[in-house]
Amino acid sequence: MAFYYNEASHTFSEYLLVPGYSSSECVPSKVCLKTPLVKFKKGEEPAISLNIPMVSAIMQSVSGEQMGIALAKEGGVAFIFGSQSIESQAMMVSKVKNYKAGFVGSDSNLTPDQTLNDVMDLLEKTGHSTMPVTHDGSANGRLLGMVTSRDYRVSRLDGNSKVAEFMTPFDKLVTANVKSTLSECNDLIWDHKLNTLPIIDDNNNLVYLVFRKDYDSHKENPNELLDNDKRYVVGAGINTRDFAERVPALVEAGADILCIDSSEGFSDWQKLTIDWIRSKYGDRVKVGAGNVVDKEGFEFLAKAGADFIKVGIGGGSICITRETKGIGRGQATSVIEVAKARDEYFEKTGVYIPICSDGGIVYDYHITLALAMGSDFVMLGRYFSRFEESPTNKLMINGNFVKEYWGEGSNRARNWQRYDLGGAGKLSFEEGVDSYVPYAGPLKDNVLTTLAKVKSTMCNCGALTIEELQQKAKLTLVSATSIVEGGAHDVIVKDKTNDNYK
């Protein structure tokens, strides 16, 4: 006989947070949203943490390299979509990793005997106008000088002019020793009004470059999420089909964390994928898994070795899994049960495995509810698809700007690796739709607004951290009538057009 749950499953919209005591210290500016991204042992720090509890979905219409850069600037992580060739996905990951760094290895190098023509060819190839000159033209050769655009943009030079004739020689350069800290290097940049600072070893061999623009970027984005080399943190989606070829390419490209992209995670395919990664890389490569909706699914993936576990089936705005297959569960109920299982697992083993609520977020306050219910962070598709940085086209429909948004289970995505369990290499039926979402502008502005709401609500609950919110939160189910009561009602709401009421 089938197993029956005694209670109906619920969505986030069926819950509200009940305010708790807030001290005078509990103000949004003091709220910390840092949260673990990967599992860790009791008493230890996680290898990777998020500065904000938001990651972008593993979707063609959401997570490209521009999303990766923009979200890392705000403290989150984008998971570059895997339903593309291995080469193109690895290139996207590489672009995010190479976009910004503190200490940068030079990829545009010259010898003194090369010519201005060589300089222009290298400029066209790499796009970098600053070029170290080393004795052998390598990235780590003995530094002899530097070439910048101001050195070669003069009328007296012709294409055959030697680099040695117009470079800034070593004795005129300001340099720093490789033992210098990034802070010390930035001080030199500011004190000497430099754009680029070469970092050399004791034998004057070039080691790194430090750029002023990277310092400026950090000042503008103090919450940015960086790896140990001061590069942006980025994730990548993988599947349970070609992982043996895809994973090495993504690791080589610099992906900080992988995530198995699957419509249902309580599966031996996920265990086999994790087993292969562990056999080749041990714990060095971090990998999330999912999706699951109950205690059994969590425990299966925890035992399989997942570094974080995604929760949710069928709750996404473009997902039609529930209506096509009858599979799924209300997102709030799923998160509550899996969070309880996570806490029990932590008490039993001393290993904390973060969980990610994936799907079911309609309003900004749903993020706060997901965190209060036990999620460590949320994965968002529709939310991020609306922004300038998503990889889809911006169109004008009926006088309004929209962006295209389609599910990985749609024919447009053709992501058979995610949905085809028979190995036929095609989609038997769709589990996602093709749609439009209202264009919402740049990511930064929207994320700051959303997080302001999250922080304000946390203060209403007397919490300054996500962990404290989970301990103090009081949740209540609401009736259909009270949902109506919670919005604007019994009034005629004014419309705004070009800031004028009509």
Side-chain angles (χ1 to χ4, degrees):
M1 181 178 175
F3 175 81
Y4 291 88
Y5 285 93
N6 291 327
E7 297 181 0
S9 64
H10 298 283
T11 67
F12 291 132
S13 290
E14 296 175 80
Y15 283 91
L16 287 176
L17 283 157
V18 176
Y21 168 73
S22 299
S23 72
S24 59
E25 294 295 312
C26 203
V27 293
S29 62
K30 294 185 178 182
V31 172
C32 174
L33 294 177
K34 189 172 183 178
T35 189
L37 179 60
V38 297
K39 68 183 178 183
F40 60 95
K41 293 182 180 179
K42 189 173 185 178
E44 298 181 357
E45 291 293 321
I48 309 174
S49 292
L50 298 163
N51 289 332
I52 62 172
M54 302 170 76
V55 302
S56 66
I58 311 169
M59 300 174 68
Q60 294 175 8
S61 55
V62 178
S63 297
E65 68 265 27
Q66 293 305 313
M67 183 63 67
I69 293 166
L71 188 48
K73 284 182 178 181
E74 301 311 312
V77 168
F79 282 87
I80 306 298
F81 69 92
S83 51
Q84 59 178 315
S85 71
I86 295 173
E87 293 75 18
S88 61
Q89 187 186 21
M91 184 177 295
M92 285 187 178
V93 169
S94 181
K95 286 180 178 179
V96 179
K97 297 304 293 184
N98 292 326
Y99 181 81
K100 175 199 177 296
F103 295 102
V104 183
S106 176
D107 63 356
S108 298
N109 306 289
L110 300 163
T111 66
D113 293 330
Q114 288 183 276
T115 66
L116 178 57
N117 287 332
D118 295 322
V119 171
M120 302 312 293
D121 289 343
L122 191 57
L123 175 63
E124 183 176 357
K125 178 182 178 181
T126 67
H128 298 156
S129 59
T130 298
M131 306 173 190
V133 183
T134 59
H135 80 286
D136 59 359
S138 72
N140 300 117
R142 190 173 72 257
L143 184 64
L144 302 178
M146 294 282 290
V147 170
T148 66
S149 58
R150 65 186 177 188
D151 294 318
Y152 54 77
R153 288 178 182 169
V154 292
S155 58
R156 64 182 174 81
L157 298 175
D158 61 42
N160 294 318
S161 296
K162 298 288 188 181
V163 167
E165 298 175 23
F166 57 85
M167 72 181 187
T168 302
F170 180 80
D171 60 359
K172 301 292 186 183
L173 295 174
V174 177
T175 63
N177 188 271
V178 69
K179 298 174 185 176
S180 303
T181 66
L182 184 59
S183 177
E184 291 169 339
C185 292
N186 285 325
D187 287 342
L188 282 173
I189 286 175
W190 278 94
D191 291 344
H192 295 275
K193 298 180 174 62
L194 305 173
N195 289 321
T196 308
L197 177 70
I199 311 300
I200 57 176
D201 64 16
D202 293 335
N203 297 315
N204 292 343
N205 293 314
L206 179 66
V207 182
Y208 299 116
L209 300 173
V210 175
F211 294 96
R212 182 190 184 101
K213 66 179 179 64
D214 291 339
Y215 176 83
D216 292 340
S217 174
H218 182 65
K219 286 296 183 182
E220 293 173 5
N221 305 288
N223 223 24
E224 62 187 0
L225 191 61
L226 305 174
D227 65 15
N228 291 332
D229 295 318
K230 306 301 181 182
R231 301 177 301 173
Y232 287 136
V233 174
V234 64
I238 61 173
N239 61 70
T240 58
R241 303 285 183 181
D242 64 4
F243 55 83
E245 295 79 33
R246 190 173 295 269
V247 170
L250 295 174
V251 172
E252 177 67 22
D256 298 277
I257 185 166
L258 307 175
C259 184
I260 302 172
D261 183 26
S262 173
S263 59
E264 205 282 295
F266 196 175
S267 160
D268 199 38
W269 298 112
Q270 298 227 350
K271 180 181 183 301
L272 293 172
T273 303
I274 297 172
D275 285 346
W276 184 90
I277 293 172
R278 295 288 178 248
S279 68
K280 185 172 178 64
Y281 298 100
D283 291 329
R284 181 167 64 88
V285 171
K286 306 301 182 183
V287 55
N291 289 21
V292 298
V293 294
D294 63 6
K295 178 180 180 179
E296 287 182 283
F298 170 85
E299 291 178 341
F300 173 81
L301 291 178
K303 186 177 180 180
D307 285 295
F308 72 84
I309 294 173
K310 289 199 298 170
V311 180
I313 295 176
S317 61
I318 42 71
C319 183
I320 54 173
T321 295
R322 295 181 189 177
E323 66 181 81
T324 57
K325 295 174 62 176
I327 292 290
R329 198 179 193 191
Q331 188 68 10
T333 300
S334 299
V335 169
I336 291 169
E337 179 172 329
V338 174
K340 182 180 179 181
R342 184 267 321 279
D343 293 343
E344 291 173 351
Y345 185 87
F346 179 52
E347 288 296 320
K348 180 180 178 181
T349 67
V351 176
Y352 186 93
I353 304 176
I355 63 171
C356 166
S357 178
D358 177 18
I361 302 293
V362 181
Y363 304 107
D364 287 348
Y365 81 89
H366 288 172
I367 297 174
T368 318
L369 285 171
L371 298 174
M373 291 172 180
S375 289
D376 296 279
F377 54 97
V378 297
M379 178 172 278
L380 303 160
R382 181 194 59 84
Y383 177 89
F384 286 116
S385 71
R386 304 171 299 142
F387 301 152
E388 182 70 36
E389 295 84 357
S390 71
T392 63
N393 295 318
K394 183 171 71 172
L395 307 172
M396 177 74 79
I397 304 291
N398 296 327
N400 297 308
F401 282 113
V402 298
K403 295 208 77 175
E404 297 175 295
Y405 180 45
W406 60 90
E408 289 296 297
S410 67
N411 280 325
R412 180 170 182 173
R414 302 184 65 81
N415 189 1
W416 65 268
Q417 295 101 326
R418 189 183 203 271
Y419 289 90
D420 174 31
L421 297 180
K426 64 179 182 179
L427 290 171
S428 301
F429 54 87
E430 288 187 293
E431 293 186 49
V433 300
D434 197 347
S435 66
Y436 301 113
V437 290
Y439 172 68
L443 177 146
K444 185 180 186 68
D445 295 343
N446 287 276
V447 166
L448 289 177
T449 298
T450 295
L451 295 180
K453 296 176 185 178
V454 172
K455 290 179 179 180
S456 179
T457 304
M458 288 174 62
C459 287
N460 293 145
C461 297
L464 291 175
T465 66
I466 293 173
E467 182 179 7
E468 192 176 13
L469 174 66
Q470 293 167 353
Q471 294 170 350
K472 292 184 175 181
K474 296 181 290 184
L475 292 148
T476 181
L477 275 168
V478 295
S479 67
T481 303
S482 65
I483 292 175
V484 174
E485 179 187 63
H489 58 89
D490 301 315
V491 296
I492 300 173
V493 179
K494 296 179 180 179
D495 291 325
K496 282 203 300 183
T497 304
N498 297 324
D499 295 326
N500 293 316
Y501 288 101
K502 65 178 183 180

